[in-house]
Amino acid sequence: KAAEGDLEAFEYIYQQSASFFYNVALRIVNRREDAEDVVQEVYMIMYRQLKNFRFDSAFKTWGYRITVNTAIDYAKRASRNDHTSIDVREETTVPVHHSISQRDENSKNDMVEKLLEVLNVEQKACIILRSQQGLSYEEISQTLGIPINTVRSRIKRAREAMMKFKNEVISHEM
């Protein structure tokens, strides 16, 4: 129905998938506002191209491909514009009596964010799709439209870069 122009059907697709694609975009572009822009662009692309979607792959895979490619293009455009912006994250009041597990989880999340920051956008996309979204190498290859060996090498290089960064952080803390 959505492919035939039914806006309610397209709205349903949006409601069912937007947060999922937003999280993928956010991991690649690192800023909420940029991720929102990416997702808006993703759904404009989907709306225009939905009539051509032939269900040769899963909708999720098709959406991943559009989201990741759009986020990568967005990140590249932003870096070419070379305007440095400050990432202002929402501050929340954290009670002093946080449990140890909550602090450990927050610390883990902070480390993951720092590790992802050392990667280029192509490596970051592969790592996110593999580690956080659980896609196989073949699914990543299909999603990004790149050869499976390119996926393997990007993931290998990304892991090496993250390990090197993590080891540097640990050695500086000692």
Side-chain angles (χ1 to χ4, degrees):
K1 288 182 178 182
E4 296 168 359
D6 184 333
L7 290 178
E8 285 183 29
F10 190 75
E11 176 69 22
Y12 178 77
I13 290 171
Y14 174 80
Q15 290 173 352
Q16 296 299 311
S17 59
S19 64
F20 187 70
F21 295 136
Y22 169 81
N23 287 325
V24 172
L26 180 61
R27 292 291 185 180
I28 295 171
V29 297
N30 290 331
R31 288 190 36 172
R32 290 183 181 116
E33 298 82 10
D34 293 344
E36 290 167 1
D37 290 347
V38 167
V39 170
Q40 185 175 25
E41 192 172 333
V42 164
Y43 281 96
M44 290 187 321
I45 292 167
M46 285 181 172
Y47 185 76
R48 287 191 304 266
Q49 294 183 359
L50 194 56
K51 62 183 172 263
N52 300 324
F53 181 60
R54 296 190 188 342
F55 295 93
D56 293 335
S57 63
F59 177 79
K60 185 178 177 179
T61 302
W62 183 63
Y64 266 143
R65 172 179 270 176
I66 294 171
T67 303
V68 170
N69 288 334
T70 303
I72 288 171
D73 290 345
Y74 188 96
K76 286 179 179 177
R77 280 193 311 267
S79 69
R80 273 196 300 266
N81 291 340
D82 199 34
H83 62 51
T84 306
S85 60
I86 299 171
D87 184 9
V88 180
R89 298 182 188 243
E90 292 178 21
E91 295 293 324
T92 56
T93 306
V94 179
V96 176
H97 57 282
H98 248 217
S99 72
I100 292 173
S101 63
Q102 287 173 323
R103 283 186 289 211
D104 289 348
E105 187 63 30
N106 290 340
S107 178
K108 239 190 270 184
N109 289 338
D110 290 344
M111 178 55 93
V112 169
E113 289 298 320
K114 288 176 184 174
L115 290 171
L116 287 173
E117 287 175 11
V118 303
L119 305 178
N120 66 42
V121 291
E122 288 89 1
Q123 291 171 336
K124 189 183 295 187
C126 288
I127 283 290
I128 289 167
L129 292 176
R130 177 71 178 154
S131 300
Q132 296 178 345
Q133 303 301 328
L135 270 64
S136 69
Y137 282 40
E138 186 173 315
E139 290 170 319
I140 296 168
S141 171
Q142 292 171 354
T143 299
L144 298 177
I146 59 176
I148 197 164
N149 286 337
T150 303
V151 172
R152 286 186 180 111
S153 65
R154 285 181 184 173
I155 289 175
K156 180 180 183 284
R157 287 188 184 112
R159 288 178 176 157
E160 288 170 350
M162 290 187 301
M163 286 303 294
K164 180 180 177 187
F165 177 77
K166 185 176 178 183
N167 291 337
E168 289 173 5
V169 168
I170 290 170
S171 68
H172 288 300
E173 290 177 354
M174 296 179 132

